[in-house]
Amino acid sequence: MNETVAHLLIVDDDERIRGLLQKFLIRHGFMTSVARDAAHARRLLSGLEFDLIVLDVMMPGEDGLDLTRALRETLSTPILLLTAKGEASERINGLEAGADDYLPKPFEPKELLLRINAILRRLPAMTEPQDAPKVLHLGSIRYDLERGEMWQGQDSIRLTATEAALMRIFSACPHEPVSRAQLVEDLGRDKGAGAEQAQERAVDVQITRLRRKIEADPKQPRYLQTVRGAGYMLVPD
């Protein structure tokens, strides 16, 4: 991401907001495309690759949450949700749907820029193939530490930007617990006044999503364990 211009997709049914966001993000160095609804976004995604999707939740027809769930079946591109509802339950719904972050409306454009840059920094860096890559084994799943890739047999397991960041954090210190507060900090989450508990809950949601991809029984995790009073710990074979 450091060497190339990031290409963003803005999906919002409000033409004025689309235009304002597009101009603002272009002015800050991003390549930007816009879509007026979910169907328009699908058409663009079928022919172009994007580094991040900025997606409004409240849209007529297929809303942002439904589109996020559908995209997550085949796409790992980071998604930042814009929501007019700031309640914690709504934010959790967005994360459970597969979003990487959320931003309640109304928001300052600068905050949107900060969140976009934070997500892009969490994207796995592309590395050259190594002669002897380091690999962690989680049962039938292999995690390549050098490339940040996860495989089951010959099948690649798609990780969102946040899930990939969590795997990098845990794989750097296997068999050692990492606190929720540390995960919030390492993920670059905003810890403004009163936000700490909500951000730690958001981390719990991301952990649950990651467990669904690496555990045979996510409710009784073998590899990504909860350590009472200490946080979470990766326990590879």
Side-chain angles (χ1 to χ4, degrees), residues 33-74:
S33 299
V34 295
R36 60 184 173 272
D37 55 25
H40 189 190
R42 289 177 184 277
R43 289 196 296 273
L44 292 175
L45 288 164
S46 68
L48 295 170
E49 290 188 5
F50 294 92
D51 298 293
L52 185 143
I53 302 169
V54 179
L55 175 58
D56 185 36
V57 170
M58 301 297 289
M59 295 190 299
E62 186 178 15
D63 66 19
L65 290 180
D66 289 336
L67 180 58
T68 296
R69 293 188 187 97
L71 293 179
R72 277 293 170 257
E73 294 179 4
T74 58

Side-chain angles (χ1 to χ4, degrees), residues 2 41 43 61 65 92 95-96 104 121 125 138 183 193 198 207 214 225-226:
N2 296 331
R43 289 196 296 273
L65 290 180
I92 296 303
L95 293 172
E96 289 180 333
R121 283 196 300 271
L138 310 170
L183 290 172
I207 292 291
I214 67 175
Q225 299 180 5
T226 299

Side-chain angles (χ1 to χ4, degrees), residues 8-11 25 51-57 64 68 72 77-83 95 98-104 107 111-117 119 122 189:
L8 311 183
L9 174 61
I10 301 168
V11 188
L25 293 169
D51 298 293
L52 185 143
I53 302 169
V54 179
L55 175 58
D56 185 36
V57 170
T68 296
R72 277 293 170 257
T77 303
I79 297 174
L80 170 61
L81 290 179
L82 304 179
T83 172
L95 293 172
D100 292 86
D101 204 352
Y102 51 81
L103 184 59
F107 54 84
E111 182 176 5
L112 174 65
L113 186 64
L114 290 172
R115 288 179 182 265
I116 287 173
N117 284 326
I119 292 173
R122 299 202 296 265
R189 298 287 188 181

Side-chain angles (χ1 to χ4, degrees), residues 157-220:
I157 298 176
R158 292 177 180 271
L159 297 176
T160 67
T162 302
E163 291 164 356
L166 285 171
M167 283 302 302
R168 289 201 304 275
I169 294 167
F170 287 123
S171 62
C173 53
H175 304 283
E176 295 180 15
V178 182
S179 70
R180 295 159 82 208
Q182 186 63 51
L183 290 172
V184 169
E185 182 175 340
D186 289 347
L187 290 172
R189 298 287 188 181
D190 177 21
K191 295 189 294 181
E196 183 176 352
Q197 185 174 5
Q199 294 294 2
E200 290 189 359
R201 172 66 181 123
V203 166
D204 292 339
V205 173
Q206 302 287 358
I207 292 291
T208 297
R209 284 171 44 190
L210 182 56
R211 279 174 169 164
R212 290 174 185 153
K213 296 185 177 181
I214 67 175
E215 300 284 359
D217 183 357
K219 294 183 179 180
Q220 295 184 332

